[in-house]
Amino acid sequence: MTENTQTPSSPNSELPTTYAPAEVEGKLYERWVERGYFEADAKSEKPPYTIVIPPPNVTGSLHLGHAFEHTLIDALTRRKRMQGYETLWQPGMDHAGIATQNVVERELAKEGKSRHDLGREAFVERVWQWKGESGGQISGQMRRLGDGVDWSRERFTMDEGLSQAVQTIFKKLYDDELIYRAERIINWCPRCLTAISDIEVEYQDDDGELVSIRYGEGENSIVVATTRAETMLGDTAVAVHPEDERYRHMVGTEIELPLTGRRIPIVADEHVDPAFGTGAVKVTPAHDPNDFEIGQRHGLPNLAVMDEHAVITVHGPFLGLDRLEARSAIVAALRAEGRIIAEKRPYPHSVGHCSRCKTAIEPRLSLQWWVKVGPLAKAAGDAVRDGRVTIHPQDMEKRYFDWVDNLHDWCISRQLWWGHRIPVWYGPNGEIVCVGPDEQPPSGDGWTQDTDVLDTWFSSGLWPFSTLGWPQQTESLAKFYPNSVLVTGYDILFFWVARMMMFGLYAMDGTPPFHTIALHGMVRDERGKKMSKSFGNAVNPLDWMDAYGSDAVRFTLARGANPGVDVPIGEDWVQASRNFANKIWNATRFALMNGATIEGELPPVEQMSATDRWILSRLNKTVAEVDAYYEDYQFSKLSDSLYHFAWDEVFSWYVELSKTTFFAGGEQAKVSGRVLGEVLDVMLRLLHPVVPFVTETLWTTLTGGESLVIADWPKDSGFRDEAAEAEIGSVQAVVTEVRRFRKEQGLQDGQKVPARLDLSGTPLSAHEGAIRQLLRLQPEGDSFSATATLPVAGATVALDLSGTIDVAAERKRLSKDLAAAEKEKQQAEAKLGNEAFLAKAPDNVVDKIKGRLAKAEADIARIQAQLDGLPAA
């Protein structure tokens, strides 16, 4: 429980009859922002708690994935703020090089222009103009969701401070010989006309063709298979495995490359799988990453046969053809020469596509800038291995190590105009000068700056410290670095997370950028299918917020969030969460109208009823349980715990059991009113990080406090009363059993039934009034006749159902159910008594049958008790 630090005022019980989220949420959020609740003070003596937002693209809008991730981060930061931490949730956006440039280029195309018509400077100015007018709509959507970010610190990956950070670290890496320029194979998009990172490549199965081509003649021929026949024009060797007896005699010889008149060598390389296909592969170093490595090992030339548009640039008959046109033409030419040995069409195979424009990417040899990741990646792996950084859930560590331990050098240059331009100048005599942020670039005739920009991930990799003012040694950097936790999807563990780890450790003297990496899964539809516009199952979370309120969307997402596991979500679940918000509203409104209060101290325990002591004991256990789940990032479990405590225990049991007390009035009603006020106060505090809007409205009404955002987080007082919990457990057992029996008899919920309650010798006697009210049980009259007797929890409940049920029909129905249960028991016992079956059956099957037996035995006992309780026919 928590000490009330606010000065309570008389609570206003005049809440509206129904909760209308649209009338509450926007006003509440603006009030929170205006009062500065989310602003973090670097001068504060409170312990820091820092989380950065995974910066959404400036072109983006809020989708369910954003809403999911933001809900989890907001819950963590709201709780820590209530616990007394100086909490910073750092907001901002990514400039998203390719995506943003594509958006503006499409706008220009509507005007009949290209970026080249404007020139570089004018085009970049046009992008800034677009960013100012149309970019960043996600900020307003974040407010709708209730994100408690410090808007005063909002950053953009191309603002002045972050640009200085990018230039600083580039210069530092360059001076440390960890950045270099070299020709390598990269992912090239012929549509976007730039290199793209691995994360920007989406793989899908395309129906292509597999053709087997004979190189050479007669005994000196060899067959290779390819799905990209057009690249054969750039072949500079054929490779076989050094231990393949079929080709050993050919290694070191040359063979004629069809259609070209060139002769190429046959080389032996262990990369070749002798068991795959013919055991021989064509080697095109300029158009395949594996072939490039073979070429490097054997000193093969790199022959590029396509330009940046994927148009053939060599060999007359095919010159000027697009790669797909050339593929068909080359296969036809080979077929005419009798060199096609076999064809498979269609041949499904995995092909990489640009995630932005969906064009098939082209592996291409290109002069680019690279980061030498070896020492950086080792440091990133060591930080997790030695415990400085914890990955949650732990089973994701293996995936992390598989990635960082096998990283290839990172291509960081992009052939774009929008982005951080590479700070390197080239001189007229081959000079290369890298310029830091405080240095003047060289000038004079012949000096030009590199035209490329940096990969977007380069700047976002600096996010945990660049947003705090690095390279300046700011108060914010000293206070809030390293971040407490990074909350992000497992899908970018290998890209964004690994880059932040490498750069953070490198720039911040071995201090990792965060203590914990908490990974979550992807949001999927209710059938577990990936959400996509092309699948027709994508959901705009704003539509659900409009229909059901932001709290309902947040609670649904949090309740589905198991660490590292994908989250299925459907509209029905959001409706159920809306119903939960309404239940909180209605029950709190009832409580306020019936004396719930936080005024004064809690009454002494000896003045409390067992019901009061029970709910306080359960309240403290819930506080402890929720705290433990938060520390383990178990959002689903903490949400479930809160849901069942609020709905089942507070509203369905405590409020109902206390109604007779409230209606009776007097001192006991005052005691229970204070207990109920305490329970609601703590419960609303516990719920606030996940459902902030409805809880804020109810809590301020209940307590008169300023805001839950700055209220104290509840603490477990240690109060436990196992005896009271057992006593109320008995009450619950009686009520549950009689309710089930009533339902089986077809009685309406409100239908009253005469009953005799024998509660002697049990602690239930103090609860007879509540039991009767909950079960609609009338006192027994002079003509009372017990037609059904239910023994439960040491008590006996006798019901007079004469006039409400047909005893003969009921006996017949129960006898039929009893026969079915006995048959089920016999079948289960027969299987469990069969030694041959037990020897072969898996443990889970045996356990299932044991469960069936136990259920059947319980059903028999229950039905027999019901039959015994019926009068004779």
Side-chain angles (χ1 to χ4, degrees), residues 654-824:
Y654 180 74
V655 171
E656 294 299 322
L657 286 170
S658 301
K659 277 184 177 178
T660 52
T661 301
F662 290 135
F663 294 159
E667 288 303 313
Q668 191 57 53
K670 293 180 181 179
V671 170
S672 292
R674 180 64 184 88
V675 169
L676 180 54
E678 180 76 10
V679 170
L680 291 175
D681 176 18
V682 174
M683 183 194 75
L684 292 170
R685 293 174 194 246
L686 290 173
L687 281 165
H688 177 73
V690 181
V691 284
F693 295 107
V694 66
T695 52
E696 173 86 339
T697 306
L698 294 172
W699 185 84
T700 52
T701 302
L702 169 71
T703 69
E706 181 182 342
S707 174
L708 264 177
V709 180
I710 55 172
D712 291 337
W713 181 253
K715 295 179 181 178
D716 175 9
S717 71
F719 177 79
R720 303 288 190 274
D721 193 326
E722 303 299 337
E725 290 196 42
E727 182 174 329
I728 301 305
S730 297
V731 175
Q732 292 172 322
V734 170
V735 173
T736 300
E737 177 63 18
V738 176
R739 278 177 174 169
R740 186 190 57 74
F741 180 77
R742 287 177 58 110
K743 186 175 181 180
E744 287 179 347
Q745 309 311 311
L747 299 179
Q748 298 298 315
D749 291 342
Q751 188 172 351
K752 296 182 178 180
V753 176
R756 177 188 300 136
L757 272 60
D758 183 1
L759 308 177
S760 58
T762 75
L764 296 169
S765 55
H767 305 281
E768 180 170 350
I771 291 172
R772 284 187 177 276
Q773 179 175 321
L774 289 170
L775 293 172
R776 306 294 190 268
L777 301 181
Q778 292 179 319
E780 54 187 293
D782 294 337
S783 60
F784 180 82
S785 174
T787 59
T789 304
L790 302 176
V792 57
T796 302
V797 179
L799 304 174
D800 183 356
L801 302 178
S802 56
T804 61
I805 64 169
D806 183 331
V807 174
E810 182 61 15
R811 183 175 293 280
K812 183 177 180 181
R813 184 185 70 80
L814 289 172
S815 297
K816 183 178 179 181
D817 291 346
L818 181 63
E822 288 174 337
K823 183 178 179 180
E824 176 72 5

Side-chain angles (χ1 to χ4, degrees), residues 46 206 260 281 401 418 508 550 696 698 805 814:
K46 296 178 182 178
D206 286 358
T260 67
V281 297
F401 291 136
W418 172 246
M508 299 300 293
S550 297
E696 173 86 339
L698 294 172
I805 64 169
L814 289 172

